[in-house]
Amino acid sequence: MQALPAIRLALPGDAERYAAAADRLFRQSYGHDAAHAAVMDDHCAKAYAVARIAAQLSAPNVTALVAVSGADILAFAQILATGGDGEIERFYVDRDWHGRGLAQRLMQDVVGRATALGLTSLRLGVWTRNERAIAFYRRQGFVPAGTVDFLLAGLPQSDLMMQRSL
């Protein structure tokens, strides 16, 4: 069995690789759905622009972790700290690493970093149709805390909001 990749803090100098990984892993996660595929290019161009990612990685209230192997980012998570709470804004793992323990290890590191930052809770949103991710977050101690509705390409969608105490 291949060893898990190293997990470390993402730095502003990682912005280009982080943006490319975010684009790739977002497409892996949602590109199969016709509604998402219709707006994929526009969303990725805006959300994962290198300048935007660099600004996020430089922000004092953002902590990003990357799982790296050589030059490749295979997984990443991004925490936004707001007061005593934290929001996991992004949590993606390359599908080739699903079921191999990388997501659990990354979440352990996220929780450890959030605790070290003095955060008392974490929250996240996950697409209600992503049953695998919802099951993972439940196993990690997150519980449902409502839903948020939004439009994507004019089609109604919902995210399940989940939270856990630290």
Side-chain angles (χ1 to χ4, degrees):
M1 178 176 222
Q2 187 176 3
L4 292 177
I7 297 174
R8 63 167 176 80
L9 282 173
L11 304 170
D14 293 319
E16 190 171 327
R17 289 188 310 145
Y18 186 106
D23 183 290
R24 179 175 57 84
L25 297 181
F26 185 85
R27 289 173 190 275
Q28 269 187 15
S29 297
Y30 302 111
H32 65 281
D33 181 82
H36 288 95
V39 296
M40 190 69 61
D41 290 339
D42 184 57
H43 170 79
C44 289
K46 290 176 184 172
Y48 307 129
V50 174
R52 183 174 186 174
I53 295 296
Q56 291 171 355
L57 295 179
S58 298
N61 61 337
V62 172
T63 300
L65 299 170
V66 291
V68 296
S69 177
D72 296 325
I73 294 176
L74 303 174
F76 62 91
Q78 187 166 307
I79 308 163
L80 174 66
T82 55
D85 298 322
E87 178 180 355
I88 300 174
E89 296 182 299
R90 297 184 179 121
F91 191 97
Y92 291 93
V93 175
D94 187 291
R95 82 175 105 208
D96 289 342
W97 285 87
H98 287 187
R100 297 170 65 181
L102 180 56
Q104 291 85 350
R105 175 120 159 272
L106 182 58
M107 184 60 78
Q108 287 172 353
D109 283 15
V110 165
V111 169
R113 292 285 178 170
T115 301
L117 291 169
L119 302 178
T120 58
S121 67
L122 283 171
R123 67 184 176 280
L124 57 83
V126 58
W127 190 35
T128 55
R129 292 173 49 191
N130 192 341
E131 294 174 13
R132 181 181 180 126
I134 292 169
F136 169 77
Y137 294 131
R138 284 182 186 272
R139 288 190 307 272
Q140 302 306 308
F142 287 84
V143 297
T147 58
V148 173
D149 297 325
F150 60 97
L151 292 176
L152 180 66
L155 299 173
Q157 305 285 321
S158 292
D159 273 355
L160 175 64
M161 302 309 295
M162 301 184 82
Q163 65 184 24
R164 75 170 269 183
S165 296
L166 299 177

